[in-house]
Amino acid sequence: MRSSQARVRVARVHADTGRTHRADTLAVEEPLEIRVNGTRLAVTMRTPVHDFSLAVGFALSEGIINSADDVFRVRYCQKDQGPKGLNPHTQAQPQDHPDGNSLTSDLAPPLGLGAFSGTESALQNTSDNVVDITLAPHVLPPTATVQRQLVVNSSCGLCGRQSLDEVHQNGCYPIDERSDFTLDELTVMGLPNQLSEDQKVFAKTGGLHGAGLYDVKTGKMLVVREDVGRHNAVDKVLGWALMEGLLPLSDKVLVTSSRASFELVQKAAMAGVPMLVAVSAPSSLAVELAKESDMTLVGFTRGHRCVIYAGEERIVPPATETDADVIDVPDDAANSL
């Protein structure tokens, strides 16, 4: 069973009380190789939970897939399996993978997302650091130019891109009139607090980024994911949404506990997210892409303040007494008061 946490023995040093020894909790970081049709696409450092959501969300962010119907199967690879993998169409139908890390709930989308393989009893014969996505027959595999044959650092989702022009692409789901909702300022400023309430591992380790999907209609967080990499946390959220058949996310807000970097805005745009709310600052390129995508981008969101960098029209001041409905009183009734 995989875990997002690890226990280590540490020495704590304080100027007044000296040195003490105790156990401490750390966030787990391990590499994940993502393959498409048996061929390596990328390697990323991640927290080893929700791997299938991460892989599918990564494929969505890269423009390889657009919906659950584009995926035939997602599975952990056999340890002795070559880089090309097995022909999925000659294998028995695999089972869902209950790995103890809430993957089971991830793997039951309403759309036709093939099958997810690797039963718990077969884990000894699989590598849970290698995930392979088998595309549906109608989907073209990625070309060599979009394959990133290197290790991607936890802090950067785009370091392996051959050029910035390749990333500056049109989203799979352009933001349209369905995203013309508004939120009041107080609601927006409170979103990071809602996110932090579900960051269970961060509360114990202080070492994970968080990302969540806020539903404008219900006023609730639909899903929260954590990872050592901020881009991985976002991919896990978007992968979950894809497998749940929720794309495009035209009435959702993506909330992140990190800065709003270019790659996070690009990932949100690929899923049709109209608003991105971040705890820290955006980059200049992130603001540029948000404006080009008609996305609302908010940074430095800290409970009592925020800064709107793009799409200001979606965020409105809270209602005041002067905005309340005024009850018309008849003249004769008014005179009797």
Side-chain angles (χ1 to χ4, degrees):
M1 181 180 296
R2 310 309 304 279
S3 176
S4 58
Q5 306 168 52
R7 299 282 286 175
V8 297
R9 188 165 180 79
V10 300
R12 288 184 177 269
V13 181
H14 192 280
D16 296 329
T17 60
R19 183 175 303 189
T20 59
H21 295 82
R22 55 166 291 180
D24 199 4
T25 304
L26 299 180
V28 173
E29 181 177 29
E30 294 182 1
L32 176 70
E33 179 177 326
I34 300 173
R35 299 178 182 178
V36 174
N37 289 352
T39 300
R40 184 172 67 174
L41 178 68
V43 178
T44 185
M45 302 302 296
R46 99 299 189 191
T47 302
V49 289
H50 306 293
D51 285 342
F52 291 174
S53 293
L54 171 57
V56 171
F58 181 87
L60 169 69
S61 299
E62 295 296 311
I64 298 169
I65 60 175
N66 297 338
S67 71
D69 291 329
D70 293 340
V71 180
F72 172 72
R73 177 172 60 187
V74 181
R75 60 173 180 166
Y76 286 112
C77 293
Q78 298 295 317
K79 287 183 177 179
D80 58 352
Q81 184 175 305
K84 288 299 181 181
L86 302 174
N87 183 343
H89 301 290
T90 64
Q91 307 304 311
Q93 188 75 350
Q95 303 295 318
D96 286 355
H97 175 23
D99 71 344
N101 294 318
S102 301
L103 276 177
T104 303
S105 61
D106 277 353
L107 309 183
L111 300 182
L113 186 56
F116 298 81
S117 69
T119 61
E120 193 168 28
S121 60
L123 274 179
Q124 60 200 33
N125 296 319
T126 64
S127 172
D128 44 14
N129 282 331
V130 182
V131 170
D132 185 40
I133 301 172
T134 302
L135 301 175
H138 67 273
V139 181
L140 293 176
T143 62
T145 57
V146 301
Q147 294 175 2
R148 293 193 266 176
Q149 305 293 345
L150 49 81
V151 174
V152 181
N153 292 328
S154 301
S155 59
C156 180
L158 299 171
C159 302
R161 279 300 213 176
Q162 296 185 15
S163 72
L164 186 60
D165 291 338
E166 292 181 12
V167 183
H168 214 293
Q169 55 186 295
N170 293 324
C172 295
Y173 298 100
I175 298 170
D176 55 25
E177 64 276 0
R178 292 174 295 176
S179 302
D180 290 338
F181 61 82
T182 59
L183 289 178
D184 69 75
E185 296 167 348
L186 295 178
T187 297
V188 172
M189 290 186 287
L191 291 178
N193 289 336
Q194 287 196 45
L195 177 68
S196 64
E197 289 175 359
D198 288 324
Q199 287 186 256
K200 306 303 184 185
V201 182
F202 174 81
K204 295 180 179 180
T205 67
L208 292 182
H209 292 289
L213 205 58
Y214 175 81
D215 188 347
V216 173
K217 294 180 180 178
T218 65
K220 298 179 180 180
M221 285 286 177
L222 293 180
V223 63
V224 172
R225 294 288 183 260
E226 296 179 283
D227 200 275
V228 288
R230 61 180 182 271
H231 60 285
N232 287 342
V234 169
D235 279 339
K236 287 178 178 180
V237 167
L238 298 183
W240 174 88
L242 180 143
M243 291 190 290
E244 292 292 326
L246 298 179
L247 299 182
L249 300 173
S250 54
D251 58 351
K252 307 294 187 294
V253 179
L254 181 63
V255 187
T256 72
S257 65
S258 63
R259 65 184 180 89
S261 56
F262 172 81
E263 73 265 22
L264 296 195
V265 175
Q266 188 261 343
K267 290 175 183 294
M270 293 295 285
V273 176
M275 185 182 296
L276 173 59
V277 176
V279 170
S280 297
S283 66
S284 61
L285 198 57
V287 174
E288 178 183 335
L289 180 59
K291 291 180 177 179
E292 290 181 0
S293 304
D294 193 28
M295 182 188 301
T296 298
L297 179 59
V298 187
F300 291 112
T301 314
R302 304 289 175 85
H304 62 285
R305 62 184 175 93
C306 67
V307 179
I308 306 172
Y309 293 89
E312 182 179 355
E313 65 279 358
R314 288 194 182 94
I315 300 177
V316 298
T320 62
E321 291 183 2
T322 57
D323 297 327
D325 294 336
V326 177
I327 301 176
D328 292 330
V329 179
D331 291 339
D332 55 347
N335 293 332
S336 65
L337 295 178

